[in-house]
Amino acid sequence: MKILQTSIPTIEKISPECVPLWLDLLPALSGEDTTKSFFQELVNILLSYVCKSFRRSSKVLDFHHPHQLREGLEGFSLELPDQPENLEQLLVDCRDTLKYGVKTGHPRFFNQLSSGLDVIGLAGEWLTSTANTNMFTYEVSPVFILMEEILLKKMQEIVGWSEEEGDGVFCPGGTMSNLYSVLLARYHFFPEVKTKGMTALPRLILFTSAHSHYSVKKSAAVLGIGSDNVVVVKCNDRGKMIPAELESSIITAKDQGCVPFYVNATAGTTVYGAFDPLNAIADICESHGLWLHVDAAWGGGLLMSNLHRVKLQGIERAWSVTWNPHKMMGAPLQCSAILGLLKDCNQMCAEYLFQTDKHYDTSYDTGDKTIQCGRHVDVFKLWLMWKAKGSEGFESQVNKCLENAEHLFDKLKQRPDFELVFKSKPEHSNVCFWYIPPGLRNMSPGPERNRRLHEVAPKIKAKMMEQGMAMIGYQPLGDKVNFFRCVFSNPATQTEDVDYLLEEIASLGHDICIRD
């Protein structure tokens, strides 16, 4: 297979006679050649970007402040014209859009839970956009609908559910998946809410840990339950929900005349990567008759690993599960699944879409299970990746990410210029730490040291982004001042990249100026 050479797009390559516009592309009667030339140049741009994303000598980002991008850079303008621009300019705009963005597939991008650039997944996303169809009925999306059914059943099997227990749908991210779980739980206990609304219900209470994702509170607000009716349950020092605190909170809510109905347990918290004790929480939910949801958006990928899936022991007892393959499994964004029985909860039987007298099995018209009408095809890229790698390939990928985390943890323990947020080995691929500049290393612990240390991570991050060779996130949490959180989900990252990150932080932070 011959790969096109990368190049800067030129008018001549598109057409020697004129500067073509979008009107010269298909479906124009004579638009086939121009369309081919346009796409060939676009593929050159995309291939160049993909190759640079894996090249350690290239930058993770070419940072510019918002006002600089708004004002325009080197002919790159975000403003929208009244008159059409030619195809050459559009190709330049495509190239510059990638140039001034962030290479999230770069081996030294550690900033988010979703990172990496899976070539097979990318191919799947390109095909998906080419098909440009909708996931609401079998008649317009026959292959993708069946792929979704097969993939969801596979994920349910991996969770530990029987075929009869399972259902689900791919939806726009983990926040939406978690919202679905609250929606399902409320409908299960109070089906009248679908027609009569919240005024027909008692005061409902749901429970989640202090380290859980903010989407649980957001879901309560969106669904009219109210964020004040989300009880935040205490965690231990490692970020795990304390079961005794959960049970105490449930009893207190009942004593106050409220109606507990839902518990969210987290398998892989956003910052610490902690796993709540699922079996102990499931026992409490069974005892009190509550819906158990497991938010495994971040930790679900560990189910693919025979070595690490034990950390999610008890997930099979959940009534619903969130799992984001666009995180640990490396699928391109977005790819999130909510596993749980959906149809009765959301069904509205719109006659213009979901006719009952169609000539095929209308149980495959899955759109009535969702709160969306139009729904993007998120399944194909994951299906194609699974075909390419097999379950064993995903297992190796997950194991490698956790090995990188352990390597970083071991390196940090050996260095006097860094300090771990907690001393125990990471459960997931999250590693949290402080860089300690020379001026703070001999200071006694206390408010003044904390005040100064709080400024270190943001200053280093700013310098790192200006330089552009690596990227890592930071945050405070509870009584802990700003610290770095390094996460591994990119299969391209190697131990040399981990070592580079530490040296980069130390170099940028050594002479950092902290206010007195």
Side-chain angles (χ1 to χ4, degrees), residues 113-259:
L113 302 184
S114 51
S115 65
L117 183 59
D118 189 281
V119 173
I120 298 294
L122 180 60
E125 193 64 72
W126 287 348
L127 185 144
T128 295
S129 294
T130 304
N132 192 33
T133 192
N134 205 318
M135 286 292 285
F136 43 41
T137 61
Y138 179 84
E139 65 187 273
V140 298
S141 217
V143 180
F144 295 137
I145 290 282
L146 293 177
M147 284 177 176
E148 184 173 68
E149 179 191 46
I150 288 167
L151 248 177
L152 289 169
K153 282 183 178 178
K154 183 70 170 178
M155 294 170 78
Q156 290 154 12
E157 175 190 324
I158 291 169
V159 165
W161 292 350
S162 68
E163 192 169 315
E164 296 74 31
E165 291 177 291
D167 189 13
V169 72
F170 283 88
C171 55
T175 291
M176 283 300 299
S177 293
N178 284 343
L179 185 145
Y180 269 113
S181 73
V182 180
L183 190 66
L184 287 171
R186 186 178 65 177
Y187 178 79
H188 174 81
F189 292 113
F190 302 98
E192 64 271 24
V193 72
K194 187 173 177 180
T195 52
K196 297 179 181 177
M198 286 296 295
T199 56
L201 273 57
R203 183 182 173 190
L204 302 182
I205 302 292
L206 55 155
F207 305 83
T208 193
S209 86
H211 285 235
S212 66
H213 196 263
Y214 69 90
S215 58
V216 178
K217 279 192 174 183
K218 181 175 281 191
S219 297
V222 169
L223 295 174
I225 296 168
S227 58
D228 285 351
N229 293 316
V230 178
V231 174
V232 176
V233 181
K234 291 179 183 177
C235 294
N236 63 20
D237 291 343
R238 191 57 185 79
K240 298 170 178 286
M241 183 190 288
I242 302 171
E245 293 287 343
L246 171 63
E247 181 138 45
S248 174
S249 298
I250 293 169
I251 293 168
T252 298
K254 287 181 175 180
D255 290 344
Q256 293 171 346
C258 303
V259 179

Side-chain angles (χ1 to χ4, degrees), residues 416 419 435-456 481 512-516:
E419 185 179 320
Y435 171 73
I436 313 298
L440 299 184
R441 288 173 200 167
N442 295 320
M443 282 189 72
S444 300
E448 180 57 22
R449 183 180 187 271
N450 285 342
R451 184 190 67 77
R452 295 190 182 194
L453 185 57
H454 189 64
E455 297 181 30
V456 171
V481 299
I512 204 164
C513 180
I514 306 295
R515 296 170 303 165
D516 291 330

Side-chain angles (χ1 to χ4, degrees), residues 462-509:
K463 292 171 74 173
M464 184 181 287
M465 289 184 68
E466 294 284 353
Q467 185 172 302
M469 297 306 293
M471 199 167 171
I472 185 175
Y474 72 86
Q475 66 284 299
L477 186 63
D479 61 352
K480 292 179 172 58
V481 299
N482 281 325
F483 56 87
F484 290 111
R485 179 203 64 169
C486 189
V487 285
F488 298 94
S489 59
N490 185 351
T493 300
Q494 304 296 326
T495 53
E496 67 182 89
D497 303 304
V498 179
D499 297 342
Y500 175 89
L501 176 68
L502 290 185
E503 294 305 323
E504 180 79 348
I505 291 173
S507 174
L508 294 172

